[in-house]
Each structure stands twice: as C-alpha cells, then as structure tokens.
Amino acid sequence: MKTANPRKIDLRRFVLPALLLIGLIAVNVYGRRDPSHEEVPYSAFLAELEQDKLQRVEIRGRVLIADVKAAGDEMRRITTKRLPGIDESKLVEKLTDKGIEFVGKAEEPSVLPVIMGWLVPFALIFGLYFFLFRRIAKNVGGSGGPFGVGKSKAKRFDATQDTKVTFSDVAGIDESVGEMKEVVDFLKNPERYKALGAKIPKGVLLVGPPGTGKTLLAKAVAGEAGVPFFSLSGSDFVEMFVGVGAARVRDLFEQAAAQSPCIIFIDEIDGIGKSRGGAAAFGGHDEREQTLNQLLSEMDGFDARTGIVIIAATNRPEVLDPALVRAGRFDRQVVVDRPSVDGRLATLQVHARQIRLAETVDLHVVARRTPGMVGADLAKVVNEAALAAARQYRSEVTQHDFEEAVDRIQLGLEKQGRAMSEEEKRRVAFHEAGHALVAMSVDKADPVHRVTIIPRSIGALGATLQLPTEDRYLLLKSELEDRIAVMLGGRAAERLVYGEVSSGASNDLERATETARQMVTKFGMSEALGALSYGRSRGARYLDAMGEERNYSEETGRRIDREIHQVIDLQDVRALEILTRRRAVLDAIVERLLEEETLNAETLQAIVVGVEMSEGSNSGTTGVFSAEA
Ligand code: ADP
Ligand code: ZN
C-alpha cells in the first residue's frame, strides 16, 4: 500500500536545515569575538602608545582598536573604550607624529545580532508550534504539519497491485453484491456507456450496520474493476480549522480525477453529511457544513462519464442531509444487511479458507449459533478459533475451538448490547409471527413478503415486511382498521404468550396511533365526531397545552382522544382474538422462525397449510386459505 500524499510536507526535512542555520548564525556571532582582543584600560593604551608599540589604530565608534607589537614578530590586538567628552585631536596629532597608521570607522551596527534577536524567538515559537501541531494532528488521526492540512487524507490503493479483494471475498450479502455489479461493469467499460450517453450513478450509498462488509464491498468493486480505490472517513474531514475539510474534499476530487476511472469511498458519511440546521445553533457546525457544501458542489461539478464513482457508507441514513441523496448525488442506495444463517455460513467459509480445519468441524452449527453477528464478528470468530489452536500447538482447528470463540465473542457483543439471548430471540419471533399471522388473517392487509428475527435497522429487532399490492391513493376505513390490527399483532402475540408486553412494540404503537388519529381527525371515519377535519389550521381558535394552534375546543379534544382510543382498542382485541384462535399456526411459525430466522411468503403459507391440514377442517379460520370462498 502506498500513501497517496506526494505533496504532503514531511517536517523531518525541515529539522536539519533549521539546526544548521541556527548553528551557522551562532558561529558567526560568537566567532566575531576574537579571543585575542584584549580589552585594556585607556591608560594602558596610552602607555603602549608612549612606548611606540602601536602599529595601527582603528577608531571605531566608541572603541579604539590597536595592533600592538609584541615580543618578536608577534602582534597583539587591544581594545579600549574611548573616553567620553575628551577632545581626540591631541591623540590624532600624536598618532600622526609617530607615523602610526590610523583609520576611523563609524560603528556599523552589525546586522547579524539584530537578525538573531529577531530570528531566535521566532524560530523557537515556530518550532514549538510544529511540535505541538504534530502531536495534535496525530491525536485527531491526522496528517503532517500545517502545510499538509488541506491535502486529502484519502489513501490510494492501486487496485491492480494492492487490493486483490474481489466479490469472492464478500459473503452473505449477495443481494448487495448483485447491485454493485453494474458499477463494476461501468468502470470496466466506460466507453460503452459514454457512447450511449447513458446516465451512470455518480454516487452509491451503502446502508447497513457496522461490520457488515460495506468497506469490503466497495474495495471488491475496485478490485473487480481493476481501478484505484481512494478511501477516507467522514470523520477525517472534520478538522480543527475551518475550511480545511472543504480543501480536503477539493484535493480528493483533484487526485481522483487524475486517476479516473476510480472509486472514492467515504466511510461514515454521516460525519459530514448530517442534516443541516437543527443543532447548528450551538455553533461549531460551520466547518462540517462547508465540507458538505464542497462535497455537493464537487459531485454536481463532475460528469459521471469521467469514470469516478463515489461509494459512501453509513449506518444512519436517517440523519443524512436530504441534499446528499438527491438525484445526481447519492441517488442509489444499497442495503447491506446482517447476514441470515446461510450468509453467515458463507462468511465463515470465506474466512476459514486460510486456516486448516479438523474433519469434524461443522460450520453449519457455528452459523446457527451466531444470529445477529455480522461479517466482522464472524471473521473474529474464525480468527479466535485459529488462535486457540495455535496456542495449544495444534495443527488443526477443532469444533471446540469454534464453540469457545463464539462464546467469547458473543459475550463481547452482549456487553455492547448487540447480541440477543435465546429468550429475547423467542420473544422477537412471537412478536414478528404475530404481525405476520394477523396480516395473513385479515382481508385487506398487504400480503406478507418476508418475516425475519435478524435484527435489521438500528432499533428494530425483527421485521415483518409487507408489500403493497398496488399503489394506493384511497384507503377504505376497513383497510385502515386492518392495518392497525396488523401493527398491533406483534404486541398482541407477546401478550398472549407471555402475559406481558415488552418495550419492543413502541414503534408499532406509534404508527397505529398515528393511523387511528388520522382516521378520526382527517378522514372523518369516526361516527361520533362526524365528517369534520380537526387539527391545526390557519385561523385556529385554540392553543393546546404545547402552545400549538388547533381549531377545536378542549372538550372536542377529549372526544378525539376517546375515539382514537376506541379505534385502537377494537383492533387490539381483534388481533388478540385472531392469534388466540390460530395459536397452533402462531407456534408453528415461531418454531420455524427460530430455526431459519427468515421466512418468505411461500414458506409462511406452507406452514399455515400444514397446520390446518393436521388440525382438520374444524378450525374455521378466516385466514388466507379459508377466504370468502
Ligand atoms: P463495514 O464497512 O460495513 O463496517 P468492513 O467492510 O469494514 O465493515 O468489515 C470489516 C471486516 O470484516 C472485513 O475486512 C472482513 O474481514 C470482515 N467482513 C465483514 N463483512 C464481511 C462479508 N460480508 N464477507 C466476508 N467478510 C466480511
Ligand atoms: Zn412490531
């Protein structure tokens, strides 16, 4: 790996010349003090004069310098201070009489001491500054001195030599890999795209939790396409000097343009791309904002056909400034999710390529034991297992090594609050199965596409994904009610099985309440309140407790709340009733979920059919298979 900062100034190159310069000056100044300059009293000078020993006298400023004949051919030089206020014409006469050569020189102030007096403190301050700066820069993970500050810290890897990462190194995130293949094709054959004038994505945003392989994937794209890979982190941009981040961005794009086609990878883009405004009032955000603006203008400025593709990664897409994800910028998003059990197996296999496994090792078992772990965790598991074997001088890694490695890493994750215990997993499974089963049991809910207990986005433990069959503009009251029932299904299942709900349903409740509120206040779907629109509006006549305007009275407000409550309660009872009636199906879905973690629509239906066949036809369900027919 070579570092891509040819222009970065290395301070070490300054240290030697600086020392030399200081030394030279010192020699110059002190060297002028000729040690043979003997300072003598004026009387001694006169005595020498009287004894005719003086050869030559120099009257310089306030001193007299005389060359004195010493023993033999030797010469001595003496100095003496001139006497203030004495008429020297006598001295001059005497010198003339004795035929002694004499010269007068006005005291030229020596330039060097002056320079020194000015230069030394300056050099000291400068040196100190350099020294401190280096330490600070190091602490913020930065580059060299102040001259290097504006230069981008992007590391450049020459893909053909240094990064040999390919898609075969990336496991368990096949969907994400699939979506990146187009980018590879474009980087390999830009001419084809150019000729067609096709619009190429400039920016791809990889969204997913840490350690899922976003960086790896970006590197693999560079590796597959054989193009250079510039990488840096969003946090690198935010420096202590305003304007530096922006300069870095400019420099990065300059470097990249010279190397195109290439990939620019920006990790943790939320570091610069956070939504503007909001906390800006607290100050200190100018820098980030400038950096962001520079990034936006660079992205707008370059033509995608030049062959630069910017890949950015974040695990917090929701905080990104909307301007970043607008068309022509990071308009393509690729989700990089936590791997399912198959994905984990594949990841383990990729990392196990480098180690020698005992015959008895079954990576399937390891994969099944590691739900919630991401690629980085699994890489660690393999490495820990190999280390354990090495510590004991064994030539192969055993299943036991893996077991222990999983335990150790799981413990670490639990400390970070990232891993789910078996208990929690079961609860999440019931919760998600509850959503799914209610969705399958009511008439007008969107069909269930997939259920999973693998933690997805941050905050959500599992997910039940429903796909709307068509885009809808008009929603019937019964449809909205069905939706609310589905939203409440997760919580209802928890209540049914455990007799108690968990905090995991808060988002469901929020959405259900919001839907119910709209039904009551916007859509006129409440008998009691009639076809009125309630809510904030211009010319509102009341202020609520929060000081917000509303157009209804406190009394009506209470009635609205009661109505919303009623809508929710009704659907809650309904969900609970459905799940109670179909408990056998619920349990079957849960068992299967715990085993496979993710179930698709077909599997779900197969489970329902299986249970109902074994129960006979007396169940009288209202599910998908006993529909209106
Ligand atoms: P992210 O950028 O999403 O935080 P990284 O790409 O930095 O994650 O992953 C760190 C390391 O973990 C990788 O270098 C690789 O060794 C391992 N890793 C992560 N995800 C995967 C994956 N999908 N397949 C194989 N290895 C992975
Ligand atoms: Zn839920």
Side-chain angles (χ1 to χ4, degrees), residues 370-381:
T370 49
M373 282 199 192
V374 294
D377 301 327
L378 296 165
K380 246 188 266 169
V381 165

Side-chain angles (χ1 to χ4, degrees), residues 209 212 336-340 344 370-374 417-420 425 428 432 452-463 597-598:
T212 43
V336 184
D337 242 334
R338 288 174 198 272
S340 64
R344 292 198 301 274
T370 49
M373 282 199 192
V374 294
R418 279 219 285 123
M420 272 197 287
K425 240 173 89 181
V428 171
E432 297 306 328
T452 178
I453 56 169
I454 301 172
R456 296 279 139 167
S457 57
I458 290 79
L461 290 174
E597 293 171 11
T598 304

Side-chain angles (χ1 to χ4, degrees), residues 97-296:
D97 285 352
K98 293 190 182 270
I100 298 169
E101 180 192 349
F102 67 94
V103 288
K105 273 191 189 166
E107 173 72 63
E108 297 164 24
S110 171
V111 191
L112 267 167
V114 175
I115 292 183
M116 278 297 287
W118 176 81
L119 203 66
V120 167
F122 184 77
L124 272 176
I125 291 170
F126 210 63
L128 200 68
Y129 170 71
F130 265 125
F131 179 70
L132 287 180
F133 186 90
R134 266 176 82 83
R135 310 205 75 189
I136 294 166
K138 228 175 243 164
N139 287 348
V140 297
S143 63
F147 304 127
V149 144
K151 297 296 170 198
S152 107
K153 280 188 283 191
K155 277 175 272 172
R156 191 172 67 77
F157 299 98
D158 197 318
T160 41
Q161 295 155 21
D162 300 325
T163 56
K164 295 200 184 74
V165 182
T166 64
F167 285 149
S168 67
D169 299 304
V170 187
I173 47 172
D174 298 346
E175 275 179 45
S176 323
V177 170
E179 293 191 55
M180 297 307 280
K181 281 193 171 142
E182 192 195 346
V183 176
V184 173
D185 188 47
F186 160 64
L187 287 167
K188 268 182 163 164
N189 313 296
E191 290 76 24
R192 187 149 49 81
Y193 288 81
K194 247 181 249 179
L196 284 169
K199 267 248 158 56
I200 305 304
K202 280 184 190 175
V204 182
L205 187 63
L206 301 179
V207 178
T212 43
K214 298 182 292 297
T215 310
L216 190 70
L217 180 58
K219 266 188 204 167
V221 171
E224 291 278 340
V227 302
F229 180 78
F230 294 86
S231 98
L232 65 146
S233 170
S235 55
D236 291 350
F237 281 121
V238 184
E239 280 289 332
M240 48 195 152
F241 304 132
V242 171
V244 171
R248 280 219 170 119
V249 172
R250 217 174 303 127
D251 189 62
L252 168 65
F253 277 82
E254 230 171 73
Q255 278 188 46
Q259 301 273 337
S260 76
C262 67
I263 283 179
I264 296 178
F265 178 68
I266 306 177
D267 204 0
E268 304 171 43
I269 190 157
D270 38 287
I272 33 170
K274 237 180 267 167
S275 190
R276 286 171 287 193
F282 292 108
H285 293 266
D286 288 3
E287 165 64 0
R288 214 198 47 220
E289 197 162 309
Q290 275 192 19
T291 309
L292 175 59
N293 286 337
Q294 186 67 37
L295 178 64
L296 294 179

